[in-house]
Amino acid sequence: MSKKIVAFLPILLATTTYAQSAADTGKRSPVRTLTYQQYQALLKGEANEDMARVAEMNHYPLPEKVLKYKYELDLSPIQVKKLTEAKDYLHRRRLQIGGSIIDTEHMLDSMFRYNKVQDGNLIFYTNRYGLYQGELKNAFLQACLSTRNLLSQQQMKKYESLEKRK
């Protein structure tokens, strides 16, 4: 083996080991820079729940959380329909954007792994990654805004008291 490969091998192994931590239950992600759990969450549209934190902290709940209490909150059929639509739209966006994030992670990994990194393509893909993060945050916050606008003040108070009991 050449000296370059021997010198690079420990770095490659450390990166792979980091991304494939013990918490991964022995399964490997197809994208080396993502753990199996991160990859699965992005693939299934379940990642980045914390993107709604700013809204939730300020009394703008996620639609799926409100729907859990549809009977306790006495939601009307129209409210249930609109909340379900908001929840479904958010899930679709999470799937779309999650796939884009996976593709971008894979591209960045390939660029570095095969020593094909150039300033221009690095700027392009990292800006693209930031764009996806912004789109995802917007999707979460839009869902929270529409949820809040659908609920009466009494329903919001009841929702918050139910959430505190959890």
Side-chain angles (χ1 to χ4, degrees), residues 2-165:
S2 76
K3 287 183 182 180
K4 284 185 181 180
I5 294 174
V6 172
F8 182 68
L9 195 54
I11 295 168
L12 177 63
L13 291 173
T15 304
T16 305
T17 304
Y18 172 75
Q20 309 303 331
S21 66
D24 291 342
T25 65
K27 294 184 180 177
R28 295 190 156 233
S29 167
V31 180
R32 295 177 334 136
T33 56
L34 298 171
T35 66
Y36 180 76
Q37 279 81 12
Q38 290 170 324
Y39 176 79
Q40 287 297 311
L42 286 166
L43 202 60
K44 293 176 183 176
E46 297 169 353
N48 302 313
E49 210 39 48
D50 61 332
M51 288 213 161
R53 184 171 290 133
V54 67
E56 291 186 296
M57 287 173 60
N58 290 290
H59 314 286
Y60 289 78
L62 282 163
E64 64 234 29
K65 290 184 177 181
V66 170
L67 283 168
K68 284 193 264 183
Y69 302 114
K70 65 183 175 185
Y71 299 112
E72 295 91 328
L73 297 175
D74 194 29
L75 296 176
S76 72
I78 291 171
Q79 285 176 311
V80 171
K81 180 180 183 270
K82 290 186 184 248
L83 288 167
T84 302
E85 288 170 357
K87 176 185 74 81
D88 292 345
Y89 177 76
L90 177 58
H91 185 72
R92 281 192 309 276
R93 291 298 291 148
R94 289 169 84 176
L95 286 170
Q96 291 170 337
I97 296 167
S100 297
I101 289 171
I102 288 169
D103 292 345
T104 302
E105 269 300 320
H106 184 68
M107 181 57 76
L108 288 167
D109 179 44
S110 293
M111 286 170 26
F112 279 94
R113 186 174 358 146
Y114 298 114
N115 199 23
K116 300 287 184 194
V117 183
Q118 296 173 355
D119 194 45
N121 63 8
L122 184 58
I123 290 169
F124 175 79
Y125 284 104
T126 55
N127 284 342
R128 188 181 209 182
Y129 193 91
L131 175 67
Y132 295 139
Q133 292 293 326
E135 285 183 25
L136 190 56
K137 187 156 189 98
N138 181 57
F140 271 100
L141 299 180
Q142 290 288 342
C144 292
L145 177 62
S146 66
T147 299
R148 170 74 183 264
N149 289 337
L150 285 169
L151 300 177
S152 70
Q153 257 187 316
Q154 295 87 346
Q155 288 172 321
M156 270 304 300
K157 285 181 184 177
K158 178 77 173 177
Y159 167 77
E160 289 176 349
S161 72
L162 290 166
E163 276 293 293
K164 284 181 184 174
R165 289 187 206 161

